[in-house]
Amino acid sequence: MTPDAPVTPFKPVREDPFTAAARRQAAVRPAGLGRRLLARIVDSLLLGALTGAAVVPLAGRAADHVQAKVDAAKLSGETVEVWLVDTTTVSCLLASVGVLLVLGLLYEALPTARFGRTLGKKLFGLRVRDIEEHEPPGFAAALRRWLVYAVPGLLGIGVVGVLWACFDRPWRQCWHDKAAHTFVAR
């Protein structure tokens, strides 16, 4: 350094980064159940509409197949058993479930991992956060969260996992939140 060079004064940090991080974490609170329910309804309607649009051709194919079997049985003039469940109807059902899971991955898991929210959560000012770091969950956790929500929902027992949030304290976690170590913050 030359004697003629100007001296730049030291500029202190405005706020200690560790204190700022602790303050941000302390400000995060679990979301209310009403807002979560409304966000879930919006997300379910959007995902259901997308899935329905993709599944309508599969449902039509299965219905046509069953109707053809019934018509063939009527034309035979004999009393015969018509099995409604066969490889065609099962393949249409499995394809429909596959469509739901893929669209769920694209609509729920990826945005949750990337932004910490879906469209429904964004509309109601909610975010999914990791329980320890208070940051958006990683992709594996977001995918686990979606699968633990969707699979029991398809089996008809998902409502129990969702109602779990009514009794869980302090984070109001549903089963899918517990599986992914997340909570929904306001």
Side-chain angles (χ1 to χ4, degrees):
M1 196 159 142
T2 64
D4 298 337
V7 176
T8 305
F10 172 73
K11 184 176 179 184
V13 179
R14 282 189 175 185
E15 184 176 24
D16 176 34
F18 298 107
T19 306
R23 184 172 292 123
R24 280 193 310 272
Q25 285 187 0
V28 175
R29 299 280 182 246
L33 297 178
R35 290 169 76 181
R36 286 184 70 176
L37 177 63
L38 291 173
R40 177 52 65 189
I41 288 171
V42 168
D43 287 337
S44 296
L45 288 174
L46 288 172
L47 186 58
L50 291 171
T51 303
V55 168
V56 165
L58 294 170
R61 179 175 176 224
D64 291 344
H65 174 73
V66 168
Q67 188 61 47
K69 287 175 70 172
V70 169
D71 291 343
K74 286 181 182 177
L75 290 175
S76 72
E78 299 176 13
T79 303
V80 294
E81 288 183 8
V82 176
W83 288 84
L84 301 179
V85 178
D86 62 5
T87 56
T88 302
T89 56
V90 168
S91 65
C92 288
L93 176 67
L94 291 176
S96 299
V97 170
V99 165
L100 173 66
L101 292 177
V102 168
L103 288 176
L105 169 85
L106 295 174
Y107 181 80
E108 290 266 351
L110 288 176
T112 299
R114 176 117 170 113
F115 308 111
R117 58 172 64 178
T118 58
L119 183 60
K121 288 179 185 63
K122 184 175 182 176
L123 288 174
F124 291 96
L126 305 176
R127 292 184 180 271
V128 177
R129 296 291 184 201
D130 181 83
I131 199 82
E132 293 175 5
E133 298 173 11
H134 295 258
E135 296 294 328
F139 177 73
L143 181 61
R144 187 177 330 113
R145 185 177 192 276
W146 162 242
L147 289 174
V148 172
Y149 172 76
V151 173
L154 290 173
L155 299 175
I157 60 171
V159 71
V160 176
V162 172
L163 289 175
W164 194 267
C166 295
F167 308 105
D168 186 69
R169 295 289 181 255
W171 298 108
R172 297 184 183 138
Q173 292 175 295
C174 298
W175 285 353
H176 53 278
D177 290 313
K178 290 201 176 285
H181 303 287
T182 60
F183 72 103
V184 179
R186 54 182 165 106

